Each structure stands twice: as structure tokens, then as C-alpha cells.
């Protein structure tokens, strides 16, 4: 994960002057005035943070913080700074945002931390007990973005906001799962027949739920089923053929765990 984050900084953000927050963003600003490498500035920024963390939280917390705080500067030094996006700042925001989002998603999934403002927010929460770490982190990263605006201009700062939005969206996608499926509710007079055909043609199970129409007062069965996106058009055609008057509701299912989906056999 930290390799991808380093790639986002070295191959997109640094060359384009995009400051998206974090210690890497501060390092990009400092490098603009000192010409010191980003990895070195990032590492130096983490030193007082580690000392403060050791004093406030002790050994176990410090070991976890060191893992993230050391690996990112290490990979920043290892990954060559190649401006893959050229002079296209918008492409840098998109490409860097995706890389950084995937990297952070992997780090968060492993229960790790990247150090920097992430760790700073956790430590500052001791002094602001009424605020969450996420709120403090947003405040810190926002301040870094503003510093970037003062250094590289408001237009670059706006592109940096685009990168932050892309990063957040990619992190959400990784946390929620990439196995997008469709959930369907089918209210029909022929629910049992529909369920049989559904299980036979699509190899999908269905759950029957007793419902009552509030206008007519009649008892009916509502089917609930989950299908892969590529099966959706077959489901719609099947319902239309068997019961044109059926009421069909289709919803997005971000992640489905179980037989035939993620966790066992993917479709």
C-alpha cells in the first residue's frame, strides 16, 4: 500500500505541485523552497512525532506508528520521481488520487497507519477529547491544502481537492467491496413460478416474503433475490415474460458475501 502512495506522490503530485494533505504534502511545499528530497523531509517531520508518541502512549503504540512512519519515507526514496502525467495537472489529480486511494485502502484494510497527520490526529485527540480523530485529521489536512494554495496557487489547490475527492471515493470502494451486484424485490401474483424460473435460469436463490397491498388489502408474496450485474437484463426480461404486471424494484448491492458471490465463488 505504501508503495502505491509513494508512486502517487513521486509520479503525480510532486511534479504537478499538488498538495493533498499529510506530511507528504508538507514535504512537497518544503521542497519547493529548499530543494531537499521529499522522502527526507517526510522522514524528518516524523522524528519529533515519534518522540512525542513514545512519551504520550508508550512502546506498543510507538511500534505501530513507526511501521507506517518509516515505510512511506522509505518507499518515497525508493520509487523514482517520474512525472508520468507530464504537464497535465488534471490527469495528475486523477491518477494520483486513484493510486493514493488504493494505497490507503490497502493500509487501512491491514489495520495499519501511514504516520504523518494520521498519527498526529490520533495524538491530538488527547487534548481535544470532544473531537474525533477523523475531524482533527480533516482539519490538519485542510490546513496543509491551504498552505499548498499559498505556495502553488489557488488553481493547483482546486486540483488537489479533486485528488482528495478521488482518493476518498477509491478508499470507500475498497472498504465496501468491488463486487457490485443488484438486489431485486419482485411483487407478483406468480411469485412461486418466478422463483422456480429464477433458480433454474439464473442459478440464483430467492426468498419469499409475505406482503399485503394496503390499497387492495390482498395478500401476496414478494421475492427478494440478488444477481450479478451481467444477469440483470435476463432477470428483467424473465419477469416481463412471466408476469408483465409484476412490480420490480432494483437496488444497488455494494457487496454480497455468500455462495456464488465474494467469499466463495465469484460470478
Amino acid at each position: 500500500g505504501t508503495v502505491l502512495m509513494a508512486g502517487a506522490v513521486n509520479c503525480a503530485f510532486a511534479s504537478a505541485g499538488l498538495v493533498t494533505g499529510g506530511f507528504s504534502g508538507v514535504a512537497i511545499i518544503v521542497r519547493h523552497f529548499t530543494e531537499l528530497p521529499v522522502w527526507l523531509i517526510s522522514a524528518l517531520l516524523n522524528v519529533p512525532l515519534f518522540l512525542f508518541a513514545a512519551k504520550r502512549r508508550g512502546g506498543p503504540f510507538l511500534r505501530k506508528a513507526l511501521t507506517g512512519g518509516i515505510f512511506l519515507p522509505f518507499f518515497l526514496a525508493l520509487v523514482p520521481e517520474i512525472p508520468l502525467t507530464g504537464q497535465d495537472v488534471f490527469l495528475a489529480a486523477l491518477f494520483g488520487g486513484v493510486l493514493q486511494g488504493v494505497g490507503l485502502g490497502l493500509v487501512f484494510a491491514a489495520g495499519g497507519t501511514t504516520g504523518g497527520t494520521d498519527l498526529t490526529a490520533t495524538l491530538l485527540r488527547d487534548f481535544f477529547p470532544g473531537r474525533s480523530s477523523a475531524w482533527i485529521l480533516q482539519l490538519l489536512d485542510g490546513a496543509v491544502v491551504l498552505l499548498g494554495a499559498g505556495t502553488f496557487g489557488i488553481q493547483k489547490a482546486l486540483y488537489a481537492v479533486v485528488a482528495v475527492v478521488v482518493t476518498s471515493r477509491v478508499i470507500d470502494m475498497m472498504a465496501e467491496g468491488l463486487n457490485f451486484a443488484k438486489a431485486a424485490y419482485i411483487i407478483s401474483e406468480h411469485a412461486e413460478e418466478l422463483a422456480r424460473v429464477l433458480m433454474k435460469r439464473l442459478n440464483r436463490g430467492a426468498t419469499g416474503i409475505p406482503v399485503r397491498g394496503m390499497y387492495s388489502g390482498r395478500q401476496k408474496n414478494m421475492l427478494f433475490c440478488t444477481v450479478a450485474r451481467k444477469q440483470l437484463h435476463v432477470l428483467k426480461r424473465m419477469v416481463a415474460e412471466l408476469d408483465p404486471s409484476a412490480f420490480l424494484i432494483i437496488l444497488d448491492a455494494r457487496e454480497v458475501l455468500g455462495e456464488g458471490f465474494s467469499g466463495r465463488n465469484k460470478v
Side-chain angles (χ1 to χ4, degrees):
T2 49
V3 177
L4 296 176
M5 294 173 62
V9 173
N10 285 350
C11 301
F13 296 152
S15 59
L18 298 183
V19 178
T20 60
F23 274 13
S24 58
V26 176
I28 291 173
I29 296 173
V30 174
R31 191 189 71 160
H32 179 72
F33 297 103
T34 65
E35 296 299 325
L36 291 174
V38 171
W39 71 266
L40 179 60
I41 301 168
S42 180
L44 292 176
L45 288 172
N46 274 291
V47 171
L49 191 61
F50 293 151
L51 296 176
F52 186 67
K55 182 178 179 180
R56 293 289 304 182
R57 298 293 184 89
F61 181 83
L62 179 61
R63 282 193 295 273
K64 184 178 179 180
L66 281 171
T67 302
I70 290 177
F71 272 114
L72 184 55
F74 172 77
F75 285 116
L76 283 172
L78 190 64
V79 175
E81 188 172 323
I82 303 173
L84 297 178
T85 55
Q87 301 300 313
D88 193 329
V89 184
F90 184 65
L91 181 59
L94 292 179
F95 175 68
V98 170
L99 273 185
Q100 184 165 260
V102 174
L104 282 170
L106 292 173
V107 170
F108 293 158
T113 176
T114 59
T117 52
D118 186 15
L119 175 59
T120 304
T122 303
L123 293 172
L124 287 178
R125 192 171 182 273
D126 294 342
F127 302 95
F128 303 97
R131 299 293 184 178
S132 67
S133 297
W135 185 89
I136 299 172
L137 178 61
Q138 289 177 348
L139 189 65
L140 291 173
D141 283 342
V144 174
V145 172
L146 288 177
L147 286 174
T151 304
F152 297 104
I154 187 64
Q155 189 178 47
K156 293 287 184 70
L158 293 176
Y159 281 119
V161 172
V162 172
V164 171
V165 172
V166 173
T167 296
S168 300
R169 182 57 184 153
V170 172
I171 292 173
D172 289 342
M173 289 173 62
M174 294 192 66
E176 296 169 357
L178 296 176
N179 184 25
F180 301 119
K182 297 292 182 178
Y185 291 95
I186 309 168
I187 302 175
S188 170
E189 300 283 355
H190 307 283
E192 292 186 6
E193 183 182 359
L194 279 168
R196 285 195 299 270
V197 176
L198 177 67
M199 289 184 284
K200 182 178 180 180
R201 291 178 58 180
L202 296 182
N203 194 28
R204 291 295 178 204
T207 301
I209 306 171
V211 295
R212 181 168 66 92
M214 297 307 294
Y215 178 76
S216 65
R218 297 173 58 186
Q219 293 287 342
K220 298 181 181 180
N221 280 326
M222 178 175 68
L223 294 179
F224 172 74
C225 64
T226 307
V227 298
R229 283 180 298 180
K230 62 185 179 183
Q231 297 176 315
L232 183 59
H233 69 284
V234 180
L235 173 66
K236 293 166 69 175
R237 186 171 63 246
M238 183 189 73
V239 173
E241 290 174 355
L242 295 176
D243 185 3
S245 62
F247 194 64
L248 175 62
I249 305 172
I250 299 171
L251 305 172
D252 287 325
R254 179 67 65 182
E255 184 174 17
V256 182
L257 300 175
E259 188 174 355
F261 288 92
S262 61
R264 296 194 180 106
N265 298 319
K266 292 187 178 179
V267 293

